[in-house]
């Protein structure tokens, strides 16, 4: 049996996604993003952005374009998502209707912004499900943007919704919602990690995702010109806050985020050798490098290999057969 089947035989394996979600709204930037996705052999996701990418009054033009992209050969990896307007926006349902009508297929996921709480998340999912059913297209996974007080308060219950695959943190809207009680410096690094109220929000989201096997998605780094800025933010998000995915808004950020989330070579080698020895012992407890290991550590290191695979890292030859 495959390690993922054995190690999660008594529990549900957590969802696993690319570490990068790259946003693009206009056609020129979308083409650049899809070219980068092709160059990286599909290890990044591209999100077509209707909320910020469509001009007022031009929403229908944009939805048809997005549907055409989903239906085209440019969607080579089936890893193109769509961010729609928020539930209270008059074009919310039309976004979904028109993308499905034009594309005749679902995106990799729907991203819904500005969720105000559990009840609204459920209403959004129900609306999207109804539209999919009318078009006889299977429901795509739902990604939600947590950026309001109400959504943060109910984030554990929101993460538990079976249709939800990932939760993202909306840093700037979250800070703005506090009406000046959080300084603007908390919208950028290092304040976004050091300010207690923002750190609490980030941890609440990542813990809720971890509890329900969903993917915690870190907010964007607005500084896209400083070399290493996205890498530094992604590494702190991974190591200190439990995030395994991050937004990108500029091509310069994609490789940095992939690098920050990828396990290093020593960790990959350790994980491979440990799991091979565990496999030879039929996944019972073993001694490895003078330490006891059992299924708890086997699961941890299996997920290390899985993350490396999603980052496009070259795995040791002895581990490649598992993928």
């Amino acid at each position: 049996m495959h390690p993922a089947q054995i190690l999660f035989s008594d529990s549900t394996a957590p969802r696993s996604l690319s570490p990068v979600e790259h946003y693009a709204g206009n056609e020129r930037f979308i083409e650049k993003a899809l070219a980068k996705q092709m160059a990286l052999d599909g290890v990044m996701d591209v999100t077509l952005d209707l909320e910020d990418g469509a001009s007022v009054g031009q929403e229908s033009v944009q939805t048809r374009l997005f549907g055409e992209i989903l239906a085209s050969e440019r969607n080579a990896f089936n890893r193109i998502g769509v961010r729609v307007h928020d539930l209270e926006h008059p074009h919310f349902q039309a976004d979904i209707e028109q993308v499905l009508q034009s594309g005749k297929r679902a995106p990799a996921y729907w991203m819904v912004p500005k969720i105000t709480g559990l009840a609204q998340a459920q209403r959004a999912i129900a609306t999207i499900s109804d539209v999919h059913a009318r078009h006889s297209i299977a429901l795509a996974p739902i990604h939600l943007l947590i950026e309001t007080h109400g959504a943060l308060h109910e984030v554990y219950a929101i993460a538990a919704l079976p249709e939800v695959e990932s939760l993202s943190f909306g840093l700037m809207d979250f800070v703005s919602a506090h009406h000046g009680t959080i300084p603007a410096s908390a919208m950028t690094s290092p304040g976004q990690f050091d300010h207690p109220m923002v750190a609490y929000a980030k941890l609440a989201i990542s813990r809720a995702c971890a509890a329900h096997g969903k993917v915690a998605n870190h907010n964007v780094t607005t500084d896209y010109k400083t070399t290493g800025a996205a890498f530094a933010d992604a590494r702190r998000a991974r190591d200190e806050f439990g995030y395994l995915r991050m937004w990108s808004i500029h091509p310069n950020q994609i490789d940095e985020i992939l690098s920050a989330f990828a396990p290093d070579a020593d960790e990959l080698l350790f994980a491979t050798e440990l799991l091979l020895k565990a496999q030879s012992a039929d996944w019972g407890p073993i001694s490895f490098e003078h330490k006891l290991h059992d299924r708890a550590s086997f699961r941890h290191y299996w997920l290390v290999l899985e993350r490396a695979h999603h980052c496009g890292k070259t795995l040791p030859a002895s581990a490649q057969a598992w993928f």
Side-chain angles (χ1 to χ4, degrees):
M1 292 178 67
H2 193 272
Q5 294 175 288
I6 295 169
L7 297 177
F8 293 96
S9 61
D10 57 351
S11 61
T12 302
R15 306 286 182 96
S16 186
L17 294 171
S18 165
V20 178
E21 181 180 356
H22 181 75
Y23 274 76
N26 70 52
E27 193 166 5
R28 182 169 68 90
F29 291 152
I30 290 168
E31 292 302 329
K32 285 186 175 183
L34 295 178
K36 181 69 171 178
Q37 186 184 53
M38 184 65 70
L40 290 173
D41 199 26
V43 299
M44 57 174 278
D45 287 350
V46 175
T47 299
L48 309 181
D49 191 0
L50 281 168
E51 187 191 25
D52 290 338
S55 302
V56 175
Q58 296 296 309
E59 292 89 353
S60 295
V61 174
Q62 200 80 340
T63 53
R64 286 195 295 272
L65 170 65
F66 287 4
E68 290 166 4
I69 291 171
L70 291 177
S72 74
E73 62 184 13
R74 290 172 289 178
N75 190 10
F77 305 100
N78 297 320
R79 293 309 308 168
I80 299 176
V82 176
R83 176 163 75 159
V84 296
H85 291 86
D86 66 88
L87 181 64
E88 306 306 329
H89 192 281
H91 216 267
F92 172 75
Q93 185 166 331
D95 285 348
I96 300 142
E97 292 269 9
Q98 292 168 6
V99 168
L100 294 182
Q101 285 172 354
S102 178
K104 304 294 190 293
R105 64 183 297 179
Y109 48 87
W110 296 105
M111 166 61 79
V112 183
K114 296 181 174 63
I115 291 297
T116 59
L118 176 63
Q120 195 191 63
Q122 292 170 319
R123 281 201 295 126
I125 292 168
T127 300
I128 296 171
S129 298
D130 287 346
V131 176
H132 273 260
R134 288 200 302 276
H135 288 272
S136 300
I137 297 174
L139 179 65
I142 306 297
H143 295 191
L144 301 175
L145 187 52
I146 306 299
E147 51 192 337
T148 67
H149 296 289
L152 183 65
H153 180 66
E154 298 185 302
V155 69
Y156 195 87
I158 292 170
L161 295 171
E163 299 87 355
V164 171
E165 181 176 60
S166 175
L167 298 180
S168 295
F169 180 48
L171 171 64
M172 288 183 284
D173 279 282
F174 178 78
V175 171
S176 178
H178 283 76
H179 307 300
T181 59
I182 299 177
S185 60
M187 293 186 183
T188 56
S189 293
Q192 64 165 317
F193 297 108
D194 296 339
H195 192 282
M197 292 172 73
V198 178
Y200 169 83
K202 292 190 182 196
L203 289 170
I205 292 168
S206 63
R207 291 183 65 193
C209 286
H212 297 291
K214 310 301 173 67
V215 178
N217 195 358
H218 194 261
N219 55 271
V220 69
T221 296
T222 55
D223 180 358
Y224 57 84
K225 287 194 173 182
T226 302
T227 301
F231 176 91
D233 286 352
R235 184 55 62 91
R236 285 199 73 176
R238 185 195 77 169
D239 290 350
E240 300 175 36
F241 290 84
Y243 284 77
L244 297 177
R245 181 170 164 96
M246 181 169 157
W247 288 28
S248 162
I249 56 167
H250 193 280
N252 292 345
Q253 299 178 326
I254 294 168
D255 291 330
E256 291 191 4
I257 296 170
L258 283 171
S259 178
F261 280 104
D264 62 30
D266 289 342
E267 190 175 16
L268 278 182
L269 183 61
F270 181 94
T272 300
E273 292 180 350
L274 171 69
L275 292 170
L276 286 171
K277 186 170 182 179
Q279 186 179 53
S280 67
D282 294 326
W283 306 100
I286 61 171
S287 175
F288 184 76
E289 294 192 0
H290 311 296
K291 293 183 180 178
L292 177 66
H293 289 272
D294 58 17
R295 287 203 179 192
S297 53
F298 301 158
R299 278 191 290 266
H300 173 87
Y301 284 105
W302 169 253
L303 294 174
V304 167
L305 290 184
E306 197 171 64
R307 287 200 301 274
H309 175 68
H310 277 292
C311 289
K313 295 281 285 186
T314 300
L315 299 174
S318 49
Q320 289 175 9
W322 288 328
F323 296 89

